[in-house]
Amino acid sequence: GQSLEQPSEVTAVEGAIVQINCTYQTSGFYGLSWYQQHDGGAPTFLSYNALDGLEETGRFSSFLSRSDSYGYLLLQELQMKDSASYFCAVLDSNYQLIWGAGTKLIIKP
Amino acid sequence: NAGVTQTPKFRVLKTGQSMTLLCAQDMNHEYMYWYRQDPGMGLRLIHYSVGEGTTAKGEVPDGYNVSRLKKQNFLLGLESAAPSQTSVYFCASNRAPTNEKLFFGSGTQLSVL
């Protein structure tokens, strides 16, 4: 079966750096996406990696290793507004997004 | 800049009732999707459409029907609601399946009693 594994919850301190990992097992792979979802809101796109390596967008970076079926989202200079759930999702060979269960990021002052 | 608009935002149904959720997008996207999200779980694809007049089943299609009569609209129907269909429903769209960015509507909280 297809599956994505990510931690259910991560806690960090304001101003710190946090990494959210995602491992996947899917039928085919086109790319790994990350989405942010605040409580009561809709998912919003953060990043997409199709090739190995690190993609940086402001305070957020995303990494992919296709050989390890692994990726991570790195959030720097954490702010209270970053408190949200973060989802990884893989675009599989059927061009469908397979979603992880999400990681709740708790930020403490 | 409306993007993706879903209606209604909230709805309470009794078991056996029917309803239709409406999704509209103004970005001229070919692909549209209906997802459900349950607590502690990621999004699960119900049905999707690759263009006007087409629909296809996703991961959890049972109990739902869809229609895409116009490119900008994607309707999700529940013919006979069941408590197991209590969930948050999200509509999304993008230009193409390999386009990495999905645009989401604000969601519909549905409770079936």
Side-chain angles (χ1 to χ4, degrees), chain B residues 17-65:
Chain B
Q17 287 185 319
S18 62
M19 77 162 294
T20 300
L21 305 182
L22 173 62
C23 177
Q25 53 92 6
D26 61 1
M27 297 172 283
N28 201 34
H29 285 167
E30 289 292 337
Y31 291 77
M32 298 187 73
Y33 311 82
W34 275 107
Y35 288 95
R36 62 176 289 173
Q37 185 176 32
D38 300 297
M41 300 181 69
L43 281 76
R44 291 185 292 168
L45 183 64
I46 304 170
H47 286 280
Y48 64 101
S49 169
V50 303
E52 182 178 316
T54 73
T55 64
K57 294 180 179 180
E59 179 186 358
V60 288
D62 293 343
Y64 305 94
N65 57 75

Side-chain angles (χ1 to χ4, degrees), chain A residues 2-64:
Chain A
Q2 304 195 98
S3 66
L4 280 78
E5 297 292 332
Q6 54 180 128
S8 59
E9 189 175 290
V10 172
T11 301
V13 178
E14 189 177 15
I17 300 172
V18 71
Q19 179 174 312
I20 300 174
N21 299 321
C22 176
T23 58
Y24 58 88
Q25 182 176 3
T26 58
S27 57
F29 178 89
Y30 281 104
L32 180 68
S33 298
W34 288 93
Y35 285 78
Q36 179 191 59
Q37 185 179 31
H38 287 99
D39 285 346
T44 56
F45 173 82
L46 291 177
S47 68
Y48 176 75
N49 294 68
L51 302 175
D52 287 356
L54 189 68
E55 297 278 346
E56 298 181 64
T57 307
R59 294 188 296 112
F60 292 6
S61 302
S62 57
F63 172 83
L64 174 65

